[in-house]
Every structure is written in C-alpha cells, then in structure tokens.
Amino acid sequence: FGSTGFTGRLVAEYLAAHAPADVRIALAGRNTGKLEGIRAGLPERARAWPLVVADSADAASLEKLAEQTKVVCTTVGPYAKYGLPLVAACAKAGTHYCDLTGEPQFMRDSIDLHHGTAQQTGARIVHTCGFDSIPSDLGVLGLFEALGPLSRATYVVEILKGGASGGTIASALNGLDSAKTDKKVRKSLVDPYALSADRAAEPKLGDERDQSTFRFDDFVGQWTAPFIMASVNTRVVRRSNSLQGHAWGKKFRYAEVSGMKRGLRGAFRAATFTAGLGLFVGSLLFGPTRKLVEARLPKPGEGPSEETRKHGFLRVRVFGESESGARKTMLIEGKGDPGYQLTSLLLGESALCLARDEAKLPKVAGVLTPATAMGHALTERLVAAGMTFKLE
C-alpha cells in the first residue's frame, strides 16, 4: 500500500526481484493510473500483479483491502496523519501488517486503540520494520540469546552513509508540530518507556533520557555523540523487553549513540557533530529559520539518486553486558542507503516473513515489535539477503 510513493516503489521493486515465484502480490494506492505506471516500470514478473484502489481517508476501502490479503505492507506516511485507519482494518480482519513508521505518538495510539483487537483476531501489527528499528531490535535479541539476561546494551552507529529521506523528515516535522499543542504527544516523545506494555512495571533506573551531548563512553571505549533516531529505537527495544515480561533484563539499560572513535580526533568529531545536530533541530523549532531549512530539504516522495542509494552503507555495533558481567558485541552491516535501499530490503523481507514463515514465528499477536513478532525467522531472512548479524 503506497506503491506510487518513492519508498513504496523501491519496496515493490525489491519484491519483484526477490519474492518467491509463488507469492501473490498486489499493488495498492489511491490512483489507478499511477499504479499502472508503477507496475509498467517493474520487472516482467510484476506485470500481472493485480491493482487495488484504496484510500487512507476511506475506511471501507481499507477494510476491503485488509480482508483480501494475508499481509499489508504500507509506506503511506506520515503515519500519525494517515496510518491508524489501516491499522484498525488489519486488526479487525486478523491481517498481518508492517510499516516504516518512526513516530512514537502514532505507535502509542496504535497500541492503545488496537492491541487488544489484534490479539483476539491473531493479527501481528508490526511497526518500525526498516532501518528504524530492525537492527536495534534484532541486535539486542541476538545479544540476549548469547549472554542471557542483560544489564545494559549500547547501540553504536559507526557508518551511516546515504541520502536524506523526505518521508522521514515529514514525519519528524509532524511530530514536532503535534508536540507543541498535544500533551500526550510531548509525553510520548520524552518518556523512555513511552511504548511499554505496562508502564507501571518498568524499573526506576535514574536518568534514561537519550544522549543529547558528546562524551567519552567508557563502556564502548570511544567518544560518542547523539543519534537522531534514538528517541524511536530505544522505545521499541524497551517495548520488546516489556512484551516478554522483561526477559531481556529486569533492570536493563539501553542507549543509542553515534560513535566517533578515541583520542582528540574523536572528541573533535563528536563535539562538531553534536553542535551541527543541535543547530539543525533548533532551526526547525523557530519559524523563520524553519522555512529556510525546509525549502532545502527533500519533500515526501523525493529521495536520493539511484547512485547514492546503491553506494550507501550501514555499520553498527551493539555492545552488550550480561547481569553476570560477561560481554559480547553484535556487528550489524548492510549494503545500500540505510533510509531507502536497505530499508526496502528490511520492509520487503518483513512482509515475506509474515506471509511465509508462520510456523517459525513466535506464537503471539497484537501490536508488536520486529523482535517479538518475527525474531529469528526475520534474522535468518536478512542474513540470506546479504546483511551481517555477527557476534564478536
């Protein structure tokens, strides 16, 4: 759903190239003409894919869409504006669902409104099935399985090479605007446990706010700076832990940062990166400067060139420590622009996992996370597709 958008088209291209021949796929969107144009530009096998007309503003069309498929894979955002009716339709129909949202306020609404219904119908509603937050969630899952219950883990972004996403920027701006007027949205953006299955049961571990300045981190052994998507991914990982009764650790601390290596060079890079990020975010909060910045940012439906997408790269290390003090690291790597090329792989494989791997999936339903909905089955798919998940 949303295959006429920039990212939606990339996901359709990925599925056309990599889905097994017996998987039945349809392209969905608001406009038949645009859907036909997208289909005509896909590889030969996709020319026979059916087209489904559905509109996020038309609940009846979404219900019809959900009732005739096993999995809905959607790239229609900002999800806080357009996403809840489709979640409602899938939860009601017992249809599995995956998306690319990075909007905690949308996920909180999805949980509050539709978790119970999805549990009853058997639907797996899985948010954040892209660069946010699959590497985070599956990385911690891998460390837990290697070490047992964890006392802490830190996700360190070492290389993030790619272009800016118009859709991600639109979602972030929508979140900032909503936070100005909606107290519930503000809370979801600042509460480390905003997506918890049981907020009252969460441990009191002191200050767990996301890192907002640069510092030397003794645990990971390098200078670190803020990571802009930490405010999404950390909440998803904590929800995974809470959905499993805190199996990953009763007093589990989790953080995400940008890694800048050791020494004076690392300190300088961390300081300048933090200052630049602060200026960027600050400019978006102030009306006159926001207009100037927005004019230079990609719009929804826009994205980097094919050359940029092809040569992007992601490398992350997740440092973990067990409750007994044992330590391991999970190396995660992926080729292609993280926000587009790699994300289309992640979302495409998530959709195929939900559609084809039922026997391997955890026996759960509701509004879930990548780790709790798909776990090992998804990790196996991603490794087979060329990603690295390696314990060190």
Side-chain angles (χ1 to χ4, degrees):
F1 182 52
S3 52
T4 58
F6 192 91
T7 305
R9 178 176 57 80
L10 293 179
V11 177
E13 289 175 355
Y14 180 83
L15 291 171
H18 299 284
D22 62 337
V23 175
R24 292 179 295 163
I25 300 170
L27 301 177
R30 292 182 299 175
N31 186 294
T32 303
K34 289 184 178 180
L35 288 171
E36 290 173 343
I38 291 296
R39 184 174 61 181
L42 294 175
E44 184 65 32
R45 65 163 290 191
R47 305 295 167 78
W49 287 0
L51 306 178
V52 178
V53 176
D55 191 326
S56 57
D58 181 353
S61 72
L62 298 178
E63 288 182 3
K64 184 177 179 181
L65 173 75
E67 287 167 358
Q68 61 183 308
T69 187
K70 185 174 182 178
V71 180
V72 172
C73 170
T74 175
T75 59
V76 179
Y79 294 90
K81 281 187 175 182
Y82 307 117
L84 283 173
L86 182 55
V87 173
C90 290
K92 180 181 176 182
T95 298
H96 302 324
Y97 164 107
C98 53
D99 69 23
L100 292 175
T101 188
E103 302 157 74
Q105 72 276 21
F106 162 71
M107 290 185 273
R108 186 68 258 175
D109 286 341
S110 175
I111 294 163
D112 294 341
L113 294 171
H114 305 300
H115 180 64
T117 301
Q119 284 182 307
Q120 293 171 6
T121 63
R124 293 180 176 89
I125 307 296
V126 196
H127 300 305
T128 62
C129 290
F131 166 51
D132 311 301
S133 304
I134 284 177
S136 307
D137 217 24
L138 295 185
V140 175
L141 172 62
L143 286 174
F144 162 69
E145 291 176 340
L147 292 169
L150 302 166
S151 62
R152 59 178 171 171
T154 300
Y155 176 100
V156 180
V157 181
E158 296 183 350
I159 299 175
L160 180 58
K161 182 182 178 183
S165 161
T168 298
I169 291 167
S171 295
L173 293 175
N174 182 62
L176 289 173
D177 292 340
S178 299
K180 293 177 182 177
T181 57
D182 191 323
K183 183 178 179 180
K184 183 180 178 181
V185 173
R186 287 198 298 274
K187 183 178 179 181
S188 73
L189 293 176
V190 300
D191 181 3
Y193 294 98
L195 303 181
S196 174
D198 184 356
R199 184 65 181 84
E202 296 295 354
K204 295 178 174 58
L205 302 176
D207 187 358
E208 289 189 87
R209 289 177 296 179
D210 302 310
Q211 184 169 318
S212 59
T213 187
F214 69 99
R215 65 185 180 88
F216 188 84
D217 189 317
D218 291 324
F219 180 49
V220 303
Q222 60 188 282
W223 285 93
T224 61
F227 175 47
I228 195 166
M229 296 309 300
S231 61
V232 178
N233 299 338
T234 57
R235 277 88 173 143
V236 171
V237 168
R238 293 186 184 109
R239 177 164 178 78
S240 291
N241 194 26
S242 70
L243 283 170
Q244 299 172 95
H246 297 90
W248 287 358
K250 298 290 184 182
K251 296 183 177 180
F252 172 53
R253 289 181 174 274
Y254 182 67
E256 296 198 356
V257 297
S258 299
M260 300 294 171
K261 301 187 178 180
R262 303 173 67 91
L264 290 176
R265 187 177 179 183
F268 178 76
R269 287 185 61 195
T272 54
F273 182 90
T274 302
L277 182 61
L279 285 171
F280 174 70
V281 174
S283 69
L284 296 177
L285 296 173
F286 183 58
T289 54
R290 173 166 168 167
K291 290 181 180 179
L292 292 172
V293 173
E294 276 193 274
R296 290 164 174 77
L297 294 174
K299 306 295 186 294
E302 296 178 356
S305 67
E306 182 177 358
E307 190 71 10
T308 299
R309 298 197 307 269
K310 181 180 177 181
H311 289 96
F313 188 71
L314 171 70
R315 179 188 295 152
V316 169
R317 278 188 169 85
V318 192
F319 293 75
E321 182 176 75
S322 73
E323 291 178 349
S324 64
R327 293 188 179 188
K328 285 187 181 292
T329 305
M330 176 68 76
L331 170 67
I332 303 171
E333 293 180 328
K335 296 178 182 178
D337 181 300
Y340 285 101
Q341 201 84 3
L342 184 59
T343 280
S344 65
L345 179 155
L346 292 164
L347 183 59
E349 291 296 340
S350 294
L352 292 170
C353 188
L354 291 169
R356 301 301 297 268
D357 297 342
E358 188 78 35
K360 297 180 179 180
L361 302 184
K363 306 306 178 185
V364 293
V367 180
L368 306 170
T369 60
T372 57
M374 295 175 280
H376 277 305
L378 182 56
T379 304
E380 290 173 2
R381 279 190 168 275
L382 298 179
V383 171
M387 288 191 68
T388 298
F389 285 81
K390 179 183 178 183
L391 275 171
E392 300 178 324

